[in-house]
Amino acid sequence: MDIRNDFPMLKKGIIYFDNGATTFKPQMVIDSIVDYYSNYCANAHRGDYNISLKTDMMYENARKKVKDFINAKYVEEIVFTSGATESLNMIAKSYFSNILSDGDEVLLTKAEHASNILPWFSIKEKKDIDIKYMELNENYELTIESVISSITDKTRVISIAHVTNVVGDVRPIKKICEIAHKKNILVVVDGSQSVPHMSVDVQDLDCDFLVFSGHKMCGPTGIGVLYAKKEYLEEFVPYNLGGGMNANFLNNGEVEYKSLPHRLEAGTPNISGAIGLGVAIDYLTGLNMDMIREYELKLKKYLVKKLKENKNIEIYNETTDSGIIAFNIKNVFSQDTAIYLNDYNICVRAGNHCAKILKDEINIKNTCRISLYFYNTKEELDKLISVLSNCDDLYNQII
Amino acid sequence: MDNNKRREIILDNFNNPINRGLKYDDNYVKINTNNESCIDELNFELKIDNGKIVDLVFDGEACAISTASASIMIKILLNKTVDEAIKICKNYENMINGNDYDKDLLSLATVFDNISGQASRKKCALLSWNGILKYLEEYKKNNS
């Protein structure tokens, strides 16, 4: 496949199956960062000189690319953050901690990433809110029925991953938003594992908030996005105060903030990161998000079929509709499996994948996770399948 | 040590570790070891009598190296005084970190003498020993 030539990291002789953690970068993303630092390195929104104007234009252009990529209605609805984690913290601290009252309920699931649980815990430290977990079905998936039965008169917000990072189920966000909005419940969507892998249209889904990270979608680390409907974003109280976010201030303490989105981006932003993310979006759009999804599902289907032929392998999420496969070799600790695969230059993640309370549902604390991306190939899967089929002697090999 | 012998000892201690299973006895202190950078989690229960380690048991979920090193550690530390045990643990840490150490003090634990070159396995080999050493040093401070 030609696209593999676009990625310097794919020429290192390793098979990389940890794309849920981070992804490799195409040369054009790397070049765009070098270009900024080499050719027009200046601050954004500041100078009246050419390179600063160019920086400003490139930074705001990246915002426009994000807006188009997720089909937001207004460009002001796109805030650059350091990643999905910061975006979720901002949503909790700058917005929900102000609007939630004692007795209000927040609905999560036990399959959520730590970043979509701990910020809600932090609100609970100050206000007497209830954090409830919607039940998952026997395949560890969230169903519409479970959402409906979890909602009460006290429910104010549902905060869930679009695609979960261990089980990989795709949640019916559009339907959930429809149900929630009828009861004036807001919906926060963690798109970290969906936006890189499928078309996500915030207007079609009608979600109120969406977060995602650049590095999981071929972009640089340290850049992410907070999308919120304008009416809610207007109510965010900035928790970072300083340069770049104020329009004016007086010595008596009076401060006038800038308009959206800049008042939520205090300090010099991650300019190279935003530019790199914009180029990653160009790259993904060029490949076509629907084709990416279709290809990854085909790979997963093939891998599941082959792994099921191996009696030593237990798969936890064979039915879910994304490129994530959680498994263990029977009677082998997941980390030992990862170390065994590393001996063959195959990178997989072992552990709880930051979903530390999922064990309450799955009864297995640690798994090996394969998370695929469009640059993985059937040949790479065949290599993995072959290495796993010779795993009888695993412990003799790794020690 | 030749690699086959090394493997045999490690696998034996992994497959049949000594003193696996907690006592839930109030005469024991509980020591939880987990490592921020790895997923192993082992719990120990330790009984000290007259400054001597009279019992040490463990349980938990961990990789082969962690489990085997816990078992070997228990074999070595049983019936040692707290002072002796501290010395042995420090010596073991030195070995794993690639520093000078006294081979004679470590006996069976020298099966891990090649770990210092394997960054990814060091934390596994150190997990139990670090946890116990930390407790023993506190114990010594409080009882001296």
Side-chain angles (χ1 to χ4, degrees):
Chain A
M1 271 198 308
D2 286 336
I3 57 157
R4 287 182 64 87
N5 290 328
D6 298 337
F7 292 81
M9 282 299 296
L10 292 176
K11 293 167 190 160
K12 308 281 178 199
I14 55 173
I15 295 179
Y16 185 73
F17 289 142
D18 196 15
N19 295 289
T22 198
T23 54
F24 291 163
K25 321 304 173 197
Q27 190 63 50
M28 62 193 267
V29 168
I30 299 167
D31 288 346
S32 72
I33 295 165
V34 174
D35 184 38
Y36 163 68
Y37 285 121
S38 308
N39 296 318
Y40 58 98
C41 184
N43 213 324
H45 317 310
R46 305 286 152 89
D48 290 318
Y49 46 92
N50 288 347
I51 56 168
S52 175
L53 294 171
K54 174 157 184 192
T55 299
D56 200 17
M57 192 261 287
M58 295 295 279
Y59 182 71
E60 291 306 322
N61 198 25
R63 196 189 310 277
K64 170 83 169 41
K65 287 177 187 179
V66 172
K67 176 222 168 237
D68 292 342
F69 190 61
I70 60 169
N71 194 31
K73 202 166 179 183
Y74 306 104
V75 75
E76 308 90 279
E77 293 174 328
I78 307 298
V79 179
F80 284 124
T81 63
S82 66
T85 297
E86 189 184 26
S87 302
L88 285 163
N89 274 280
M90 208 191 267
I91 289 170
K93 287 171 192 160
S94 288
Y95 186 68
F96 282 100
S97 70
N98 302 322
I99 68 151
L100 292 181
S101 311
D102 290 354
D104 285 348
E105 284 174 5
V106 177
L107 294 183
L108 312 174
T109 74
K110 286 187 176 170
E112 301 309 313
H113 189 281
S115 297
N116 189 23
I117 294 183
L118 302 189
W120 299 105
F121 283 1
S122 82
I123 297 180
K124 198 172 161 52
E125 282 169 18
K126 294 182 193 109
K127 289 190 176 173
D128 192 20
I129 59 165
D130 276 329
I131 294 171
K132 295 193 168 170
Y133 303 100
M134 295 179 281
E135 266 185 43
L136 305 178
N137 72 8
E138 66 279 9
N139 293 325
Y140 319 115
E141 297 165 344
L142 176 65
T143 61
I144 289 290
E145 294 70 36
S146 173
V147 175
I148 291 171
S149 67
S150 303
I151 290 173
T152 73
D153 291 345
K154 303 258 175 78
T155 308
R156 296 288 304 277
V157 53
I158 296 173
S159 187
I160 48 175
H162 192 174
V163 174
T164 55
N165 76 318
V166 183
V167 178
D169 57 320
V170 183
R171 267 80 179 266
I173 297 295
K174 188 172 175 171
K175 186 81 190 147
I176 291 172
C177 289
E178 203 181 301
I179 293 162
H181 290 160
K182 277 185 192 148
K183 307 209 168 192
N184 291 323
I185 298 165
L186 296 175
V187 181
V188 178
V189 177
D190 175 0
S192 302
Q193 302 294 343
S194 65
V195 174
H197 302 276
M198 60 176 74
S199 300
V200 173
D201 179 330
V202 289
Q203 292 191 69
D204 179 54
L205 295 175
D206 199 25
C207 58
D208 303 293
F209 306 84
L210 174 79
V211 307
F212 55 97
S213 292
H215 70 97
K216 292 186 199 290
M217 50 187 286
C218 296
T221 54
I223 188 77
V225 171
L226 157 63
Y227 158 83
K229 283 181 185 164
K230 209 169 158 186
E231 58 185 299
Y232 306 122
L233 203 56
E234 287 286 3
E235 302 302 319
F236 273 51
V237 178
Y239 66 69
N240 276 335
L241 307 175
M245 57 79 66
N246 73 81
N248 196 15
F249 60 91
L250 303 172
N251 63 8
N252 64 5
E254 270 180 44
V255 188
E256 187 192 337
Y257 295 150
K258 278 189 179 172
S259 57
L260 287 176
H262 302 110
R263 71 164 171 261
L264 297 171
E265 294 178 357
T268 296
N270 182 354
I271 298 169
S272 67
I275 291 169
L277 174 59
V279 175
I281 286 173
D282 292 340
Y283 185 82
L284 293 176
T285 310
L287 293 178
N288 184 311
M289 295 309 293
D290 293 336
M291 301 284 280
I292 287 174
R293 175 159 168 75
E294 198 182 309
Y295 178 73
E296 288 174 14
L297 290 181
K298 214 162 77 185
L299 284 184
K300 170 167 179 175
K301 216 168 164 188
Y302 176 74
L303 179 60
V304 166
K305 183 174 146 243
K306 289 288 178 181
L307 287 181
K308 279 175 82 173
E309 291 168 9
N310 184 338
K311 297 279 167 282
N312 285 320
I313 304 279
E314 191 167 358
I315 306 173
Y316 300 102
N317 65 338
E318 60 176 88
T319 56
T320 57
D321 217 11
S322 69
I324 294 174
I325 296 101
F327 75 99
N328 272 324
I329 301 175
K330 286 175 190 157
N331 302 317
V332 176
F333 189 58
S334 63
Q335 195 183 8
D336 287 327
T337 304
I339 285 162
Y340 168 71
L341 292 174
N342 183 49
D343 285 346
Y344 294 88
N345 294 320
I346 298 174
C347 312
V348 303
R349 173 101 177 262
N352 54 48
H353 319 292
C354 299
K356 290 189 198 242
I357 51 179
L358 181 61
K359 63 177 185 286
D360 299 352
E361 300 271 345
I362 265 187
N363 291 324
I364 299 279
K365 196 169 149 192
N366 295 304
T367 57
C368 283
R369 181 185 71 178
I370 293 163
S371 44
L372 303 167
Y373 212 12
F374 58 83
Y375 45 63
N376 288 125
T377 63
K378 186 170 164 290
E379 289 70 32
E380 289 179 323
L381 296 180
D382 284 336
K383 171 80 179 168
L384 170 80
I385 291 155
S386 145
V387 170
L388 285 174
S389 68
N390 293 319
C391 67
D392 290 346
D393 201 27
L394 181 145
Y395 279 112
N396 271 320
Q397 286 191 50
I398 64 169
I399 284 168
Chain B
M1 189 181 300
D2 95 278
N3 276 339
N4 284 335
K5 185 74 190 156
R6 184 198 305 279
R7 184 176 299 133
E8 192 187 313
I9 295 170
I10 294 175
L11 288 179
D12 182 47
N13 277 280
F14 167 57
N15 289 319
N16 309 294
I18 190 175
N19 289 2
R20 181 160 209 160
L22 298 176
K23 306 267 185 187
Y24 302 102
D25 179 332
D26 289 344
N27 294 312
Y28 287 68
V29 288
K30 289 169 185 50
I31 301 162
N32 172 266
T33 62
N34 58 25
N35 186 318
E36 282 178 21
S37 57
C38 88
I39 56 176
D40 298 339
E41 185 168 359
L42 293 175
N43 293 298
F44 289 82
E45 287 176 346
L46 168 68
K47 192 175 175 189
I48 298 176
D49 231 356
N50 285 327
K52 200 180 209 181
I53 295 174
V54 295
D55 202 8
L56 179 56
V57 299
F58 84 107
D59 214 343
E61 220 184 314
C63 70
I65 294 285
S66 267
T67 308
S69 82
S71 170
I72 288 172
M73 177 187 77
I74 291 174
K75 287 177 180 171
I76 294 173
L77 297 188
L78 276 177
N79 297 315
K80 297 285 190 301
T81 65
V82 170
D83 282 340
E84 285 167 340
I86 288 174
K87 199 170 166 192
I88 293 168
C89 288
K90 284 187 171 166
N91 212 41
Y92 178 84
E93 283 188 353
N94 279 339
M95 176 181 78
I96 300 295
N97 288 323
N99 301 324
D100 290 341
Y101 66 98
D102 182 351
K103 230 175 179 171
D104 297 336
L105 275 179
L106 292 184
S107 59
L108 199 57
T110 54
V111 292
F112 298 115
D113 65 3
N114 64 344
I115 295 278
S116 62
Q118 306 172 45
S120 64
R121 309 314 302 271
K122 275 165 83 170
K123 56 190 187 245
C124 310
L126 282 170
L127 180 74
S128 309
W129 298 75
N130 280 343
I132 296 297
L133 175 60
K134 198 172 153 202
Y135 175 78
L136 292 176
E137 284 183 324
E138 262 171 47
Y139 176 90
K140 191 181 167 183
K141 209 167 80 188
N142 296 335
N143 289 277
S144 60

